[in-house]
Amino acid sequence: MAVNLATKYSSQIAEVFTAGSFIKGKTSSSFDLTGVKTLKVYTPVTVPEVDYTREGLSRYGTVTEMQDIVQELKMTQDKAFTLTIDKGNNLDQNMTKKAADMLRLQINEQSTPAADKYALRRFAMMAGTIETVGEAPTKDTIVELISTGAQTLDDNLVPDSDRYVYVTSEVYKMIRLSPEFTGLEGLGVKAVGKGVCGEISGLNIVRVPKSYMPDGCYFLITHKNAVLMPYKISDAKVHNDPVGVSGALIEGRHYYDAFVLGAKSAGVYALVLSANKLSTPSVSISNGSATISKPTGASEVRYTTDGTDPRYSDSAKVYSSAIAVDTGTVVRAAAFADDKFTSSVAEKTA
């Protein structure tokens, strides 16, 4: 029996629920990677104050040249998609697959979620502070844990404004049911961005789907100026009746990445399951030689000998064998793996 496709398919395709980006608009826009694949960020290093001496030629202290910490940001995510909408199939379906609408659907269902998931993972994996817990938070502990994160930002002089805490619906439910949150229903719930659904401890709550949050991460706090999500290419197009296709050809490409800025990494805080964070490597120094132990599960250990943070510094090197060091050299090391949160930094002075 013949099937009436115009009847079988409604005038509009039943689209799955989609959401726009939860990340865009909540990251720094101070850096522009247009025209380059990598960007080097230079952060001037200040010096501690000393007592003023009222005589002699060094009354203000010893003169030193201001140094820089350099972080290289390299673009890595170059993604694409292509689809065709055959003219015959589209006619049989009562022209329900309009090319522009299908392009929007592809971006909403695939491109945007993939970019957001990647960004949240990168921010959490490279957070300046990665605190651990042995078990999942509960409604009785979640508010205190988030408040501790906010306090950490306070203690590190991170500005009060533009702070966000990313949580899953499960964690958001805990917050709503927690005793501390009772009575705060009307405070700060006006949405100021995609996904923002309230405020706690001065943090805008951004509720994201569970699949967006990295495994083992219970919440992520970021200050807008501490994270970066540059897009070099965000390109999408529809070709009508191109060579070889009777109908529409849809193509899209987006070239992007996500970074934690080392100089402002104190503005990024993640609470994770302890089993998902790498142990801190140990640094040993003897007879002008430094050795570093690689923790279990680490794919590599990076180190610096100029006092900079090996998690972000352009001068960081991958450890492979003992390092010759001079007296007074500061050796700092951190462990890395694709499926684990970055370790804390070990430090030892020769």
Side-chain angles (χ1 to χ4, degrees):
M1 183 177 67
V3 178
N4 187 333
L5 296 179
T7 302
K8 182 177 179 181
Y9 290 89
S10 63
S11 60
Q12 294 185 353
I13 294 177
E15 300 179 2
V16 298
F17 181 78
T18 60
S21 175
F22 293 93
I23 309 298
K24 291 178 182 178
K26 304 179 182 69
T27 62
S28 175
S29 57
S30 301
F31 303 97
D32 182 12
L33 280 81
T34 302
V36 295
K37 186 173 183 178
T38 61
L39 171 72
K40 289 196 174 184
V41 179
Y42 294 84
T43 304
V45 180
T46 56
V47 296
E49 290 189 334
V50 297
D51 291 329
Y52 180 80
T53 303
R54 297 194 176 192
E55 54 185 46
L57 298 178
S58 300
R59 302 189 182 198
Y60 294 90
T62 303
V63 177
T64 58
E65 180 67 18
M66 178 169 272
Q67 301 298 307
D68 297 294
I69 297 175
V70 185
Q71 181 182 2
E72 184 177 86
L73 310 178
K74 183 178 294 186
M75 304 287 287
T76 64
Q77 302 300 296
D78 197 353
K79 305 297 184 182
F81 62 83
T82 183
L83 291 167
T84 59
I85 300 175
D86 183 79
K87 189 177 296 183
N89 290 338
N90 204 16
L91 286 170
D92 290 343
Q93 295 172 9
N94 205 25
M95 300 298 290
T96 54
K97 290 181 180 176
K98 295 179 181 178
D101 291 341
M102 295 306 100
L103 177 58
R104 190 178 303 110
L105 185 68
Q106 169 71 24
I107 293 172
N108 285 343
E109 290 189 7
Q110 300 293 333
S111 303
T112 299
D116 276 8
K117 291 175 187 179
Y118 174 80
L120 288 173
R121 182 176 181 277
R122 285 283 294 166
F123 297 160
M125 291 292 186
M126 297 294 288
T129 302
I130 302 179
E131 194 57 62
T132 61
V133 288
E135 56 186 13
T138 66
K139 65 181 179 64
D140 296 317
T141 63
I142 187 61
V143 170
E144 181 179 356
L145 290 169
I146 291 176
S147 297
T148 298
Q151 180 185 341
T152 301
L153 268 63
D154 290 341
D155 293 342
N156 285 297
L157 306 180
V158 178
D160 293 335
S161 61
D162 294 322
R163 294 183 181 184
Y164 299 93
V165 55
Y166 295 89
V167 300
T168 64
S169 293
E170 180 181 14
V171 172
Y172 180 67
K173 179 181 177 181
M174 293 180 195
I175 296 172
R176 294 289 299 272
L177 294 177
S178 67
E180 294 92 336
F181 201 71
T182 303
L184 301 182
E185 180 70 24
L187 297 181
V189 296
K190 182 180 179 181
V192 294
K194 180 65 182 177
V196 175
C197 57
E199 183 180 309
I200 183 171
S201 298
L203 309 170
N204 295 306
I205 302 173
V206 184
R207 186 172 56 192
V208 301
K210 185 175 182 179
S211 62
Y212 281 43
M213 195 67 73
D215 289 340
C217 181
Y218 296 112
F219 64 79
L220 171 68
I221 299 173
T222 67
H223 186 275
K224 180 175 182 177
N225 292 333
V227 290
L228 186 65
M229 191 182 182
Y231 265 76
K232 287 188 65 177
I233 298 175
S234 186
D235 188 21
K237 61 192 74 174
V238 176
H239 304 278
N240 290 313
D241 294 324
V243 176
V245 177
S246 175
L249 171 66
I250 299 173
E251 294 177 328
R253 179 185 178 192
H254 55 136
Y255 185 26
Y256 65 97
D257 218 300
F259 307 99
V260 172
L261 297 173
K264 299 180 179 181
S265 60
V268 186
Y269 180 103
L271 182 75
V272 306
L273 188 65
S274 55
N276 289 46
K277 182 185 177 184
L278 289 168
S279 300
T280 305
S282 61
V283 180
S284 301
I285 298 177
S286 177
N287 300 321
S289 179
T291 57
I292 306 172
S293 65
K294 181 188 288 187
T296 301
S299 58
E300 67 178 23
V301 171
R302 298 178 205 161
Y303 71 93
T304 59
T305 56
D306 57 4
T308 57
D309 193 323
R311 294 173 297 176
Y312 317 106
S313 177
D314 190 50
S315 65
K317 299 178 181 178
V318 177
Y319 178 78
S320 58
S321 59
I323 313 157
V325 291
D326 297 326
T327 301
T329 299
V330 178
V331 180
R332 306 188 75 194
F336 299 83
D338 289 339
D339 59 346
K340 297 279 187 178
F341 297 96
T342 309
S343 72
S344 299
V345 178
E347 181 178 308
K348 197 152 191 178
T349 303

